[in-house]
Amino acid sequence: MGKTIAEKIFDAHLIDIPFKNTFILSLDRVFCHEITSPIAINDLKERNLDKVFDNTKIKAVIDHVSPAKDSKTALQGKIMREWAKRNNIKDFFDIGRNGVCHALFPEKGFIRPGFTVIMGDSHTCTHGAFGAFAAGVGTTDLEVGILKGVCAFREPRTIRVELTGSLKEGVYAKDVILFVIGRLGVNGASDCVIEFCGPVIDSFDMEARMTVCNMAVEAGATSGICNPDMHTVDYLWDFIKEDFATKEDALKEYSKYQSDDDALYYKSYSFDLSDLEPLVTYGYKPDCVKTVKEMSGTKIDQVYIGSCTNGRLSDLRIAAAILKGHKIADSVRAIVSPATQKKKKKALNEGIIETFLDAGFCVTNPTCGACLGMSNGVLAEGEVCISTTNRNFNGRMGKGGMVHLASPATAAKAAIYGYIN
């Protein structure tokens, strides 16, 4: 009987099954950032266990509040810096060299097909776009991962989501994942892996796939995952070209982590997206989804373009193409935060940053701050934001604020009109 990608990765990393439905896996990467990791770091230090299993496999960044906005966030950064220095963490990305973790780490080539990855961040599932098993974990699991390089998981039940048809012009990866979440529901994939496949996924580049996998957790999934293919190889080539004679050789190796044709799935869905329209959320759950047409006329106070979902170069290009030659409405404020320093520099060289500035956007440094209501775009009570982030929970971007999730294209159009359009 064939196996899914997740099952193959589990087989390759299995250390022990201490009791039923508990799989102890070795880890290829442990990612850390300054919001969740300091708790684990301090606890290990108090236990006289201030060490790491492998300083080349741990990658760390300061990204959620960048730069620090107060003494508390400054302390979180200080804890990370001192820990990285004590343990000789080679890949630690401080202010000025940093970026949003789930954009920065793939950009640095830290992900490979078949890898196991954990982080104290629910959107770690983003990295499944590369054919890796990547999951967000709690503090205890993060501590064990840092110390021992292992983590416990449940059986990798996989839900197959096949996406067929061809997307209309103006419909993007964000619309696709909002559609899927709307159909599955916020608990529709609990304790499961969502394997995204089909012609739509095959046509997506890696940035689009990362957008899709990023929000798998919003359907309750442990991880999102895609079959590695030549798009994957092309993205990674600069980092793997010393390991393979040709790209075809790399693809042959990585194809080991493609699901078998006769693999068994927990559930299977197939959606034809040929008639899909641009979507936007309403209410306070990511599965509350309507078409932009249905939400047209909804007044907004703020536009936010950025985050680990939609702050990559392709996202900035899409938004800038719509904004070119336009000004944002007088009634709104608009913020764009390129996801990494490299992406910001490229956007600057391409004239994208100039387009945003000319339109009236505030261009910030790479940070997660606005997404979770910590900095760089917090809402006041009663304010409404259309955002390219991944969560529209009540108070997510500020107490009493409303967040409508949308693609960079939809957000850019709303900035011009002052309302969803």
Side-chain angles (χ1 to χ4, degrees):
M1 184 61 64
K3 295 186 176 183
T4 65
I5 309 170
E7 288 171 336
K8 290 182 177 183
I9 294 173
F10 270 49
D11 286 349
H13 293 78
L14 184 63
I15 294 174
D16 191 16
I17 306 176
F19 41 88
K20 186 178 180 180
N21 199 28
T22 299
F23 297 77
I24 309 299
L25 306 184
S26 62
L27 297 173
D28 294 297
R29 294 286 185 268
V30 176
F31 294 154
C32 301
H33 63 54
E34 89 281 12
I35 299 300
T36 57
S37 298
I39 301 170
I41 291 166
N42 283 343
D43 190 56
L44 287 170
K45 188 176 179 181
E46 289 175 7
R47 296 169 184 268
N48 293 317
L49 294 171
D50 185 22
K51 54 186 177 181
V52 300
F53 80 103
D54 187 331
N55 65 352
T56 67
K57 293 184 177 181
I58 293 178
K59 316 295 180 181
V61 65
I62 292 176
D63 65 350
H64 273 60
V65 183
S66 172
K69 66 183 177 72
D70 53 25
S71 297
K72 180 180 178 180
T73 52
L75 177 59
Q76 289 172 317
K78 181 182 179 183
I79 292 169
M80 289 289 289
R81 291 183 192 100
E82 292 179 348
W83 169 72
K85 185 176 181 180
R86 287 195 308 271
N87 290 283
N88 193 27
I89 305 298
K90 176 186 175 185
D91 295 308
F92 169 61
F93 303 95
D94 207 336
I95 308 300
R97 304 184 298 278
N98 60 343
V100 175
C101 54
H102 307 310
L104 179 68
F105 293 150
E107 180 183 279
K108 295 292 184 180
F110 295 154
I111 309 295
R112 300 285 188 281
F115 269 19
T116 49
V117 183
I118 65 166
M119 187 176 194
D121 189 292
S122 55
H123 293 104
T124 306
C125 51
T126 306
H127 307 289
F130 292 83
F133 177 77
V137 298
T139 301
T140 301
D141 284 333
L142 182 61
E143 285 187 41
V144 174
I146 289 171
L147 185 64
K148 296 293 185 180
V150 300
C151 193
F153 297 99
R154 294 191 180 103
E155 179 185 2
R157 298 185 302 175
T158 299
I159 295 175
R160 183 176 186 266
V161 175
E162 180 186 35
L163 303 173
T164 66
S166 299
L167 299 182
K168 293 180 180 179
E169 185 177 353
V171 178
Y172 299 95
K174 183 63 161 287
D175 302 302
V176 169
I177 190 57
L178 288 176
F179 170 84
V180 172
I181 296 167
R183 295 299 294 268
L184 268 60
V186 292
N187 297 313
S190 295
D191 292 328
C192 293
V193 175
I194 300 178
E195 181 180 311
F196 298 100
C197 60
V200 171
I201 296 298
D202 293 343
S203 70
F204 278 169
D205 62 16
M206 294 309 299
E207 293 197 345
R209 293 180 191 182
M210 281 187 266
T211 292
V212 170
C213 288
N214 174 270
M215 291 187 65
V217 69
E218 309 309 335
T222 302
S223 186
I225 202 164
C226 298
N227 284 288
D229 60 10
M230 191 54 80
H231 287 295
T232 318
V233 172
D234 285 339
Y235 186 98
L236 292 172
W237 187 243
D238 283 347
F239 306 103
I240 63 175
K241 59 187 177 183
E242 302 301 322
D243 301 326
F244 300 100
T246 66
K247 290 184 177 181
E248 288 69 27
D249 289 339
L251 180 59
K252 182 179 179 180
E253 174 64 24
Y254 293 152
S255 294
K256 295 177 182 178
Y257 293 105
Q258 293 176 349
S259 288
D260 296 326
D261 292 338
D262 58 345
L264 290 179
Y265 293 90
Y266 176 63
K267 293 180 182 178
S268 292
Y269 298 92
S270 183
F271 302 115
D272 185 341
L273 302 185
S274 299
D275 295 324
L276 184 64
E277 300 285 341
L279 300 175
V280 65
T281 62
Y282 66 95
Y284 297 109
K285 296 194 302 177
D287 62 354
C288 295
V289 179
K290 291 184 179 180
T291 65
V292 168
K293 290 178 181 177
E294 291 176 294
M295 294 289 287
S296 182
T298 302
K299 183 182 178 299
I300 58 170
D301 300 291
Q302 178 172 293
V303 176
Y304 184 79
I305 297 174
S307 83
C308 60
T309 316
N310 286 122
R312 298 177 180 85
L313 192 61
S314 57
D315 302 310
L316 303 181
R317 286 169 176 159
I318 289 166
I322 291 168
L323 292 166
K324 188 76 172 177
H326 295 281
K327 296 283 187 181
I328 65 172
D330 291 339
S331 59
V332 303
R333 59 188 183 273
I335 303 164
V336 59
S337 180
T340 70
Q341 296 287 4
K342 182 177 180 180
K343 290 171 175 54
K344 185 175 183 179
K345 185 176 181 179
K346 284 188 174 182
L348 183 64
N349 291 339
E350 290 184 20
I352 291 171
I353 298 300
E354 183 178 8
T355 296
F356 279 114
L357 291 171
D358 288 347
F361 269 72
C362 168
V363 180
T364 81
N365 48 288
T367 179
C368 305
C371 178
L372 68 166
M374 292 191 74
S375 64
N376 279 45
V378 178
L379 298 176
E381 187 170 354
E383 289 191 319
V384 178
C385 179
I386 187 166
S387 175
T388 68
T389 54
N390 42 45
R391 286 190 171 148
N392 58 333
F393 299 163
N394 192 358
R396 172 71 174 178
M397 291 184 74
K399 184 179 179 180
M402 167 65 76
V403 181
H404 297 292
L405 306 178
S407 73
T410 299
K413 290 176 184 177
I416 295 169
Y417 288 94
Y419 54 83
I420 296 174
N421 182 56

